[in-house]
């Protein structure tokens, strides 16, 4: 697996993953019908560092065996596919700019291979390198136990609970966590 | 005091208050050097409801007696000055759009007259009218005791603490609170 800064050549692959994740409507508080243009403007916003995770083609699951999920996108290198993407940015401006925020997306057919964890570890290292003093996740849906366990394993703590702040497409209202980790 | 939706004619008055509040650098995590264009784009963003509070001219303190603070701005009505402004918007999109977020700014020379409280009560009423189920403040600086007391008095609770998440221009790092209130 290789994790690197994204370029314009990665936009198709990123949109493919972004669309798949957001259309599901169960992990991000974003409009499931967000346009490609708005999605890429968000993922490549000013002050945002955008990364992709590439894996060898042979380690990719066949799309056919995951009905309804997208195939990881081919990259410029025909031996690699883009399996995930993440962003790293200041969570606030001015007096809050020393706290980083990050967001992660993994292609459904590439899950269970540690790509989320690898990107998170890469992200913490990059945040440290860029001089951030802490990292905050503003919106971790309480039913996303896989993500919560991963963040806790990486040193994040739940520092806040937002009651019924997320409406699941099918499960109704659930709590949302704010998670935080010092980088000092 | 009259609180109403802002129009384009209020942009000068809003920028005057916004600039004063943000340049102080002690209540908002925004770039103290933000441009007028970026500030107004933020305050009048899509999906954002923008309001102003007007007061009679005779109830305005003289700017001379508050060195370094701006005079509340004249409005289109010569008998009124714009003493404060607030925004109301969804805190997130998609499955998080039922929770409102709001931001308040009061001109320094108009403080201590209950304008913040009046705008907050107006805001809660508007949020209820617009169908929001809750209101969340993402970033209440822990040393801003006047605001915290007001929010608690209006039914908000501290639901999260972000350690050392704000760097004061002079006091160093301080905690930040996430505050939340149901509207049901």
């Amino acid at each position: 697996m290789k994790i690197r800064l994204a370029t314009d050549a990665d936009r198709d692959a990123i949109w493919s993953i972004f669309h798949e994740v957001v259309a599901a409507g169960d992990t991000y508080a974003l409009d499931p019908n967000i346009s490609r243009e708005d999605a890429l403007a968000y993922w490549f916003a000013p002050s945002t560092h955008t990364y992709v995770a590439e894996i060898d083609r042979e380690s990719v699951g066949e799309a056919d065996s995951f009905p309804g999920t997208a195939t990881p996108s081919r990259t410029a290198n025909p031996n690699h596919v883009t399996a995930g993407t993440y962003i790293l940015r200041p969570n606030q401006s001015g007096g809050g700019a020393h706290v980083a925020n990050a967001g992660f997306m993994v292609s459904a057919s590439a899950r269970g291979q540690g790509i989320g964890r690898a990107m998170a570890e890469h992200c913490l290292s990059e945040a440290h390198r860029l001089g951030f003093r802490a990292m905050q996740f503003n919106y971790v849906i309480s039913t996303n136990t896989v993500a919560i366990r991963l963040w806790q394993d990486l040193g994040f703590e739940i520092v806040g609970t937002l009651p019924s702040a997320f409406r699941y497409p099918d499960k109704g209202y659930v709590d949302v966590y704010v998670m935080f980790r010092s980088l000092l």
Side-chain angles (χ1 to χ4, degrees), chain A residues 26-159:
Chain A
D26 59 355
T27 52
Y28 274 82
L30 291 169
D31 179 357
N33 300 312
I34 189 171
S35 70
R36 175 193 155 104
E37 185 187 351
D38 286 350
L40 291 174
Y42 168 61
W43 213 246
F44 285 90
S47 315
T48 295
H49 305 265
T50 310
Y51 301 82
V52 288
E54 292 176 326
I55 54 175
D56 290 344
R57 193 192 282 180
E58 48 263 47
S59 58
V60 177
E62 290 298 315
D64 289 349
S65 55
F66 296 85
T69 64
T71 313
S73 303
R74 298 287 156 80
T75 64
N77 181 330
N79 295 318
H80 294 127
V81 290
T82 306
T85 180
Y86 82 86
I87 56 171
L88 172 63
R89 59 187 180 180
N91 197 42
Q92 305 282 346
S93 305
H98 59 284
V99 178
N101 171 247
F104 302 84
M105 293 184 175
V106 178
S107 171
S109 59
R111 285 178 201 161
Q113 300 181 47
I115 290 161
R117 174 182 288 270
M119 289 200 298
E121 287 172 348
H122 189 272
C123 176
L124 285 166
S125 164
E126 284 289 278
H128 196 266
R129 185 180 69 76
L130 292 164
F132 288 109
R133 296 168 60 96
M135 188 176 291
Q136 180 178 334
F137 300 140
N138 302 306
Y139 206 87
V140 182
I141 299 167
S142 60
T143 43
N144 192 355
T145 50
V146 172
I148 293 164
R149 242 180 268 131
L150 173 57
W151 305 146
Q152 287 176 327
D153 203 45
L154 292 172
F156 285 83
E157 286 176 50
I158 294 171
V159 296

Side-chain angles (χ1 to χ4, degrees), chain A residues 159-179:
Chain A
V159 296
T161 300
L162 314 172
S164 302
F166 184 73
R167 182 166 51 184
Y168 249 87
D170 48 1
K171 292 177 226 171
Y173 293 96
V174 296
D175 292 350
V176 172
Y177 298 138
V178 179
M179 300 189 74

